[in-house]
Amino acid sequence: MFVWLASYPKSGNTLTRSMLASYFFTEDGQYDFNLLKNILQFPEIGLFKKLGININNEKEVIKNYVRAQELVNKKTSIQFMKTHSYLFNIDNNPFTDLNNSLGVIYIVRDPRNVLISAANHNQKTYEEIADHMINGNILKKKDNSNSTVYAGTWSGNFNSWKSFKTLNKYLLIKYEDLINDKEKYFYKILKFIYDLKKT
């Protein structure tokens, strides 16, 4: 079952993923960049290729999101999956379902800082990034290793994952809190994960 690490881009997802990878996939807690390979990003083109899906047909890709997750879902153990997608339902095709999703850790960052970070990272103006954040955007990985990512608007992305809250399967982590008090908030993340294991 997947614990989703969800966030709008440039919000601290990689930091959270790095901390979890060091904790769960090492014996000594020492971080190595290669540890991130233990936490898949979704959507990932390779999964759809394994299913024989034409990755150039976006409708078919979206239609098979849940099947792609089922392909790597180990029902007997917790896995982590990173995404920048909003929790959508496009043409009655859900992003995920409860057969694959154990819960979500949503990482949120002050949108003003997201704007600055995204502008620097993407070499775009503040106005261009603000337009993306307000009106929605689609992300395409430059190396074509991932499928199209439907990030949506900043607020839409943030609010969409709250549906897990009604199931008590939602943890909100503020990037700024994680930076200022890593031990306290990482413990909070670990407690949430271990509590999910009991359900």
Side-chain angles (χ1 to χ4, degrees):
M1 298 285 280
F2 300 120
V3 175
W4 292 96
L5 306 177
S7 69
Y8 194 79
K10 309 309 293 177
S11 297
N13 201 313
T14 299
L15 171 63
T16 308
R17 194 164 48 123
S18 299
M19 294 170 74
L20 287 169
S22 296
Y23 183 85
F24 282 99
F25 304 113
T26 68
E27 292 183 4
D28 58 9
Q30 292 299 310
Y31 176 71
D32 182 293
F33 190 77
N34 288 322
L35 290 170
L36 292 180
K37 294 176 183 174
N38 290 292
I39 301 178
L40 294 176
Q41 299 185 56
F42 194 85
E44 199 274 323
I45 279 179
L47 296 177
F48 299 98
K49 285 182 175 177
K50 285 180 184 176
L51 290 171
I53 305 300
N54 177 2
I55 60 170
N56 295 314
N57 185 334
E58 193 60 26
K59 285 189 176 181
E60 282 301 304
V61 170
I62 292 171
K63 193 184 294 185
N64 286 280
Y65 265 37
V66 171
R67 277 187 65 210
Q69 291 166 31
E70 288 170 349
L71 189 66
V72 291
N73 186 355
K74 296 172 185 171
K75 303 258 182 198
T76 56
S77 64
I78 288 183
Q79 298 166 266
F80 301 103
M81 188 80 86
K82 170 190 173 175
T83 192
H84 287 312
S85 290
Y86 75 98
L87 189 61
F88 62 69
N89 189 313
I90 297 177
D91 296 330
N92 293 316
N93 297 303
F95 177 83
T96 189
D97 62 14
L98 291 176
N99 290 322
N100 289 293
S101 302
L102 192 59
V104 61
I105 298 166
Y106 192 89
I107 305 104
V108 67
R109 184 181 186 183
D110 185 322
R112 294 168 295 184
N113 293 329
V114 170
L115 186 147
I116 294 168
S117 180
N120 291 335
H121 179 78
N122 296 299
Q123 297 181 323
K124 292 185 180 292
T125 66
Y126 291 159
E127 290 77 12
E128 288 173 304
I129 297 299
D131 181 64
H132 285 312
M133 292 175 70
I134 294 166
N135 298 311
N137 64 328
I138 293 174
L139 308 176
K140 189 77 171 179
K141 295 291 181 183
K142 291 177 183 174
D143 60 4
N144 293 320
S145 63
N146 287 4
S147 181
T148 300
V149 176
Y150 297 90
T153 64
W154 183 89
S155 61
N157 192 303
F158 173 70
N159 287 313
S160 68
W161 286 94
K162 287 182 182 177
S163 59
F164 276 87
K165 203 171 184 178
T166 59
L167 305 168
N168 294 317
K169 295 176 178 288
Y170 176 87
L171 176 66
L172 179 66
I173 293 291
K174 294 181 180 178
Y175 171 78
E176 291 79 9
D177 288 341
L178 196 57
I179 290 293
N180 293 326
D181 195 342
K182 287 183 180 69
E183 187 173 333
K184 175 181 176 181
Y185 287 94
F186 189 57
Y187 176 81
K188 191 173 183 179
I189 289 170
L190 293 178
K191 184 178 185 307
F192 174 72
I193 293 166
Y194 284 104
D195 285 346
L196 285 177
K197 272 184 168 183
K198 299 173 188 174
T199 59

